[in-house]
Amino acid sequence: MTFDAPDESVETIPLVSLAEESLLEFGEETSLVVVTRWGEFDFPDAGPLVGEALRRMALGPVSPANVATSWEESGGPGWTVPGAAALERVLTELSGSVVRSLGLNDGKGPLLSVVPVVPDPVFAPEEIVATRPVRLSRFSALRPDDSGLSLESPSARFRVLLAQPWAVHVAASLGKAVSAAEIAAQEGIPVEVVTRLVGYLVASGCVVAGEDGGRFAEDADPGLSLWSYEELLFHDRSRTWQAYGLPETAEPPRSPVAKPLGPGREYVLHRPDLTGRVAPGPTLTELLETDHAAPAFTTRELSAEQIGEFLYRAARIRSSGPASLPDGTVGEVSQRPYVSTARLYELELYLTVNRCSGLPQGIYHYDPAGHRLFLVSSDTADHRILLDMAMVAAADHRHPAALLSVTTRMARTAPVLRSRAYAAALLHLGALQETLHLTAKAMGLAAHAVSVDAGDRVGRALRLDWPAEVCVGECALDLAP
């Protein structure tokens, strides 16, 4: 697809605005406080010119030159060099909330906007020669956004909102190394516009420019070479407060403390008396100082009583009730033997029984409130698939006596933790795995975290409602060798 160039000369115009969440608080005389997602910034001597510029920027993208002209026409002092320098100093301090846009002299708004995603980025667009090769960073991705398409990369300090077709087509042309001149010829966009757009994209970090010989520095970066796109993206999203995942205006369904029970056959589990087990049991130091053995499965049977005691000590709900949550709401929470953010406890346990006296082979869901098992599936093929995966993951030649599959219910935590819900689930999985491991040791059993190559097989075997509930890990349970 190509575009016809307009009859009049095309001129690109740099625009600036404040991020949507920014608030201005004007004080007496020249004082100004700017409230941003990164904190409050106090400018006691901002001056009327800076205050007027920021006020207009809070309303949307503006040209600094237009602000100066309007200010002079309203009778204010001229746009002097000191005044411009003061504004630039303020914008530098507010760099984490200053959106840099590029528009045309057609009054149709920005072609693209470069939005900071870190507190203090430096935006320095360079002049890109029309013949220089450029391409998307190998970590970049295009995705839908409320304003159009968003170009983002976990290795970049900005994300780019592509608001108009010219910007979209330029970005979409960068899947492989290409020059601005080639894009201009292919898309029918004036080369001057393409070079300016490319300059903004390179400055954002989502696009990289080639060096002599067509090499890209990113490809030889020893630090980046250790990361895949998926892992770096997950790390970045799980460690920041960016509004990814659920829209902030969405009202996702809230899930109860424990998953509603299915229609399967019920097996009430043994409840041990823990008061008599505290003193004679091994100390925490003894458990921690015992070497962690590699998985080695036996041919012996667990007992239903051992299964009951193990789950009771490691995963039951001790109590539940209402409490204040991090998002300011009140919700039902619970107390269990392992830790969980805000006591939300979104993890569910499924038990695949292989060798256990008192429990038939099958796949069960554990009810932590009633301390019961409910039969999910007695399908022998599903049963075999789960045990085979555990055997392969443990590099053993036997199936374990039992396999615990751990899932997360996203509706339990996503309404509160938003885009950090899945990262929290993995943290909680680690806490649960350690609790399972220490509990098994204390009982003379052996629990081993195993990493299975699951695909969608586990979800199908456990009858999960994907993606509302997904499996996050497994733990094989057996007798100690």
PDB file of all heavy atoms in Angstrom, residues 49-50 79-92:
ATOM      1  N   LEU A  49       5.597  31.432  32.785  1.00  0.00           N
ATOM      2  CA  LEU A  49       5.791  30.803  31.478  1.00  0.00           C
ATOM      3  C   LEU A  49       5.804  29.281  31.599  1.00  0.00           C
ATOM      4  O   LEU A  49       5.122  28.582  30.853  1.00  0.00           O
ATOM      5  CB  LEU A  49       7.098  31.289  30.852  1.00  0.00           C
ATOM      6  CG  LEU A  49       7.498  30.599  29.546  1.00  0.00           C
ATOM      7  CD1 LEU A  49       6.460  30.856  28.479  1.00  0.00           C
ATOM      8  CD2 LEU A  49       8.862  31.078  29.081  1.00  0.00           C
ATOM      9  N   VAL A  50       6.554  28.765  32.575  1.00  0.00           N
ATOM     10  CA  VAL A  50       6.616  27.317  32.791  1.00  0.00           C
ATOM     11  C   VAL A  50       5.250  26.787  33.197  1.00  0.00           C
ATOM     12  O   VAL A  50       4.790  25.753  32.711  1.00  0.00           O
ATOM     13  CB  VAL A  50       7.683  26.969  33.847  1.00  0.00           C
ATOM     14  CG1 VAL A  50       7.600  25.492  34.227  1.00  0.00           C
ATOM     15  CG2 VAL A  50       9.066  27.310  33.346  1.00  0.00           C
ATOM     16  N   TRP A  79       9.061  35.121  25.048  1.00  0.00           N
ATOM     17  CA  TRP A  79       9.724  33.819  25.228  1.00  0.00           C
ATOM     18  C   TRP A  79      11.224  34.067  25.192  1.00  0.00           C
ATOM     19  O   TRP A  79      11.853  34.011  24.152  1.00  0.00           O
ATOM     20  CB  TRP A  79       9.279  32.873  24.113  1.00  0.00           C
ATOM     21  CG  TRP A  79       9.876  31.494  24.209  1.00  0.00           C
ATOM     22  CD1 TRP A  79      11.095  31.101  23.771  1.00  0.00           C
ATOM     23  CD2 TRP A  79       9.276  30.340  24.771  1.00  0.00           C
ATOM     24  NE1 TRP A  79      11.304  29.775  24.013  1.00  0.00           N
ATOM     25  CE2 TRP A  79      10.190  29.275  24.636  1.00  0.00           C
ATOM     26  CE3 TRP A  79       8.049  30.095  25.380  1.00  0.00           C
ATOM     27  CZ2 TRP A  79       9.922  27.994  25.071  1.00  0.00           C
ATOM     28  CZ3 TRP A  79       7.781  28.819  25.812  1.00  0.00           C
ATOM     29  CH2 TRP A  79       8.710  27.778  25.662  1.00  0.00           C
ATOM     30  N   THR A  80      11.758  34.391  26.324  1.00  0.00           N
ATOM     31  CA  THR A  80      13.174  34.713  26.389  1.00  0.00           C
ATOM     32  C   THR A  80      14.004  33.458  26.521  1.00  0.00           C
ATOM     33  O   THR A  80      13.492  32.383  26.859  1.00  0.00           O
ATOM     34  CB  THR A  80      13.452  35.626  27.594  1.00  0.00           C
ATOM     35  OG1 THR A  80      13.108  34.920  28.788  1.00  0.00           O
ATOM     36  CG2 THR A  80      12.611  36.904  27.503  1.00  0.00           C
ATOM     37  N   VAL A  81      15.286  33.595  26.274  1.00  0.00           N
ATOM     38  CA  VAL A  81      16.187  32.449  26.425  1.00  0.00           C
ATOM     39  C   VAL A  81      16.169  31.907  27.846  1.00  0.00           C
ATOM     40  O   VAL A  81      16.068  30.698  28.058  1.00  0.00           O
ATOM     41  CB  VAL A  81      17.609  32.833  25.981  1.00  0.00           C
ATOM     42  CG1 VAL A  81      18.587  31.697  26.301  1.00  0.00           C
ATOM     43  CG2 VAL A  81      17.635  33.152  24.501  1.00  0.00           C
ATOM     44  N   PRO A  82      16.210  32.755  28.882  1.00  0.00           N
ATOM     45  CA  PRO A  82      16.103  32.210  30.246  1.00  0.00           C
ATOM     46  C   PRO A  82      14.802  31.467  30.486  1.00  0.00           C
ATOM     47  O   PRO A  82      14.773  30.441  31.160  1.00  0.00           O
ATOM     48  CB  PRO A  82      16.215  33.468  31.122  1.00  0.00           C
ATOM     49  CG  PRO A  82      16.967  34.444  30.290  1.00  0.00           C
ATOM     50  CD  PRO A  82      16.495  34.199  28.877  1.00  0.00           C
ATOM     51  N   GLY A  83      13.684  31.982  29.918  1.00  0.00           N
ATOM     52  CA  GLY A  83      12.410  31.299  30.114  1.00  0.00           C
ATOM     53  C   GLY A  83      12.392  29.939  29.451  1.00  0.00           C
ATOM     54  O   GLY A  83      11.906  28.961  30.021  1.00  0.00           O
ATOM     55  N   ALA A  84      12.929  29.853  28.234  1.00  0.00           N
ATOM     56  CA  ALA A  84      12.988  28.567  27.540  1.00  0.00           C
ATOM     57  C   ALA A  84      13.894  27.599  28.276  1.00  0.00           C
ATOM     58  O   ALA A  84      13.610  26.402  28.369  1.00  0.00           O
ATOM     59  CB  ALA A  84      13.477  28.782  26.109  1.00  0.00           C
ATOM     60  N   ALA A  85      14.986  28.098  28.796  1.00  0.00           N
ATOM     61  CA  ALA A  85      15.917  27.229  29.532  1.00  0.00           C
ATOM     62  C   ALA A  85      15.273  26.709  30.811  1.00  0.00           C
ATOM     63  O   ALA A  85      15.467  25.555  31.190  1.00  0.00           O
ATOM     64  CB  ALA A  85      17.199  27.994  29.853  1.00  0.00           C
ATOM     65  N   ALA A  86      14.471  27.550  31.482  1.00  0.00           N
ATOM     66  CA  ALA A  86      13.791  27.113  32.706  1.00  0.00           C
ATOM     67  C   ALA A  86      12.802  26.001  32.388  1.00  0.00           C
ATOM     68  O   ALA A  86      12.693  25.016  33.125  1.00  0.00           O
ATOM     69  CB  ALA A  86      13.074  28.296  33.359  1.00  0.00           C
ATOM     70  N   LEU A  87      12.065  26.163  31.282  1.00  0.00           N
ATOM     71  CA  LEU A  87      11.123  25.116  30.893  1.00  0.00           C
ATOM     72  C   LEU A  87      11.848  23.821  30.578  1.00  0.00           C
ATOM     73  O   LEU A  87      11.409  22.736  30.975  1.00  0.00           O
ATOM     74  CB  LEU A  87      10.307  25.568  29.682  1.00  0.00           C
ATOM     75  CG  LEU A  87       9.324  24.527  29.122  1.00  0.00           C
ATOM     76  CD1 LEU A  87       8.306  24.122  30.175  1.00  0.00           C
ATOM     77  CD2 LEU A  87       8.633  25.048  27.874  1.00  0.00           C
ATOM     78  N   GLU A  88      12.974  23.902  29.891  1.00  0.00           N
ATOM     79  CA  GLU A  88      13.718  22.690  29.546  1.00  0.00           C
ATOM     80  C   GLU A  88      14.235  21.984  30.796  1.00  0.00           C
ATOM     81  O   GLU A  88      14.244  20.758  30.872  1.00  0.00           O
ATOM     82  CB  GLU A  88      14.873  23.043  28.615  1.00  0.00           C
ATOM     83  CG  GLU A  88      15.530  21.846  27.959  1.00  0.00           C
ATOM     84  CD  GLU A  88      14.543  20.996  27.162  1.00  0.00           C
ATOM     85  OE1 GLU A  88      13.654  21.569  26.494  1.00  0.00           O
ATOM     86  OE2 GLU A  88      14.645  19.749  27.216  1.00  0.00           O
ATOM     87  N   ARG A  89      14.659  22.768  31.797  1.00  0.00           N
ATOM     88  CA  ARG A  89      15.119  22.156  33.052  1.00  0.00           C
ATOM     89  C   ARG A  89      13.974  21.416  33.741  1.00  0.00           C
ATOM     90  O   ARG A  89      14.143  20.317  34.273  1.00  0.00           O
ATOM     91  CB  ARG A  89      15.696  23.225  33.984  1.00  0.00           C
ATOM     92  CG  ARG A  89      17.074  23.730  33.577  1.00  0.00           C
ATOM     93  CD  ARG A  89      17.732  24.486  34.719  1.00  0.00           C
ATOM     94  NE  ARG A  89      16.962  25.678  35.100  1.00  0.00           N
ATOM     95  CZ  ARG A  89      17.117  26.874  34.549  1.00  0.00           C
ATOM     96  NH1 ARG A  89      17.998  27.043  33.574  1.00  0.00           N
ATOM     97  NH2 ARG A  89      16.399  27.895  34.965  1.00  0.00           N
ATOM     98  N   VAL A  90      12.772  22.025  33.731  1.00  0.00           N
ATOM     99  CA  VAL A  90      11.617  21.377  34.351  1.00  0.00           C
ATOM    100  C   VAL A  90      11.257  20.096  33.600  1.00  0.00           C
ATOM    101  O   VAL A  90      10.985  19.050  34.205  1.00  0.00           O
ATOM    102  CB  VAL A  90      10.422  22.347  34.392  1.00  0.00           C
ATOM    103  CG1 VAL A  90       9.150  21.611  34.797  1.00  0.00           C
ATOM    104  CG2 VAL A  90      10.694  23.482  35.354  1.00  0.00           C
ATOM    105  N   LEU A  91      11.270  20.160  32.271  1.00  0.00           N
ATOM    106  CA  LEU A  91      10.934  18.975  31.488  1.00  0.00           C
ATOM    107  C   LEU A  91      11.961  17.867  31.689  1.00  0.00           C
ATOM    108  O   LEU A  91      11.618  16.679  31.670  1.00  0.00           O
ATOM    109  CB  LEU A  91      10.840  19.333  30.002  1.00  0.00           C
ATOM    110  CG  LEU A  91       9.706  20.295  29.615  1.00  0.00           C
ATOM    111  CD1 LEU A  91       9.667  20.479  28.106  1.00  0.00           C
ATOM    112  CD2 LEU A  91       8.367  19.807  30.132  1.00  0.00           C
ATOM    113  N   THR A  92      13.207  18.234  31.890  1.00  0.00           N
ATOM    114  CA  THR A  92      14.238  17.227  32.164  1.00  0.00           C
ATOM    115  C   THR A  92      13.969  16.531  33.488  1.00  0.00           C
ATOM    116  O   THR A  92      14.077  15.304  33.598  1.00  0.00           O
ATOM    117  CB  THR A  92      15.631  17.874  32.176  1.00  0.00           C
ATOM    118  OG1 THR A  92      15.895  18.439  30.888  1.00  0.00           O
ATOM    119  CG2 THR A  92      16.706  16.847  32.508  1.00  0.00           C
TER     120      THR A  92
END
